[in-house]
Amino acid sequence: MARRPGSTRSSSTRRPARAARWAGPNGTPAPEAEAGSWIRGIRFSGFGLLMMSLLVLGIVVIAPNLKAYIEQRQQIAQLEASVAESEDEIERLSVERERWNDSTYVMTQARDRLFYVNPGEVSFIVLNDVDSALLGKDEAPVSTELTATKVNWAESMLASLVTAGLTDVSTAPSAPQAPTPEPTP
């Protein structure tokens, strides 16, 4: 091996100093930490350093654009879903409009919603239209025989009309009064 002109040490003198520096208390080499062993194994060359810097630069330049691209794709997906929902709503409304163009449908809706009838027809409204299965079983019948009421309804109605006609009209709201008993015949 060729020596450098200014070097006075030989390679054999350097090795013991290096080995002594890394030697343990018994003269054995000190155990290396796992993290330190792989880091010391990395050798950087000029080309490797250049490629690392280009990689970092590429990530810094591309990352904001990639983020904007991903956000735009999400917005596009949301808008496409909104358009599909609107198209479904338009289809539903056009079917509804076509139904209202049918005179039979209009007549049915007028009967159901507004209780309209054609001239000459009689309309019946069922007030207590509840399924008996929902109510459950009756425990006992209320009465098996018919009874007559002891109050004459005609006299009660006449008394109510006379009372309503002879009372004074008050303009200010007053506290509720206890009901007065009606005269019995």
Side-chain angles (χ1 to χ4, degrees):
M1 249 177 125
R3 289 185 169 202
R4 290 191 201 167
S7 175
T8 56
R9 288 180 155 180
S10 67
S11 63
S12 61
T13 59
R14 277 190 269 169
R15 284 190 196 261
R18 189 174 194 189
R21 183 173 57 178
W22 294 103
N26 308 14
T28 60
E32 295 183 5
E34 285 186 28
S37 66
W38 73 269
I39 291 177
R40 269 189 241 107
I42 297 176
R43 303 278 185 235
F44 285 111
S45 64
F47 179 73
L49 196 57
L50 178 67
M51 293 317 279
M52 277 283 235
S53 63
L54 284 177
L55 182 67
V56 169
L57 181 65
I59 290 173
V60 168
V61 170
I62 292 176
N65 294 334
L66 186 63
K67 180 183 176 195
Y69 174 75
I70 291 171
E71 288 176 353
Q72 287 176 353
R73 292 306 302 169
Q74 289 175 346
Q75 287 177 352
I76 289 171
Q78 289 174 351
L79 291 174
E80 286 174 347
S82 173
V83 167
E85 185 178 313
S86 297
E87 288 174 350
D88 291 343
E89 181 71 14
I90 289 170
E91 181 66 27
R92 187 187 64 77
L93 290 174
S94 65
V95 168
E96 183 76 19
R97 186 186 67 206
E98 289 299 319
R99 273 196 239 149
W100 282 101
N101 287 337
D102 184 18
S103 63
T104 306
Y105 181 76
V106 173
M107 286 175 56
T108 304
Q109 292 300 315
R111 285 175 191 246
D112 291 344
R113 292 182 184 184
L114 305 173
F115 304 110
Y116 283 3
V117 293
N118 286 329
E121 291 182 353
V122 177
S123 176
F124 294 100
I125 298 174
V126 179
L127 293 179
N128 195 4
D129 189 22
V130 178
D131 188 15
S132 61
L134 295 175
L135 296 176
K137 289 186 175 181
D138 288 337
E139 293 156 7
V142 177
S143 175
T144 57
E145 61 188 53
L146 295 175
T147 58
T149 59
K150 296 179 182 174
V151 178
N152 188 353
W153 67 270
E155 288 180 5
S156 296
M157 185 176 81
L158 183 62
S160 175
L161 286 174
V162 169
T163 305
L166 296 177
T167 57
D168 292 332
V169 177
S170 64
T171 56
S174 60
Q177 297 176 357
T180 58
E182 293 184 20
T184 56

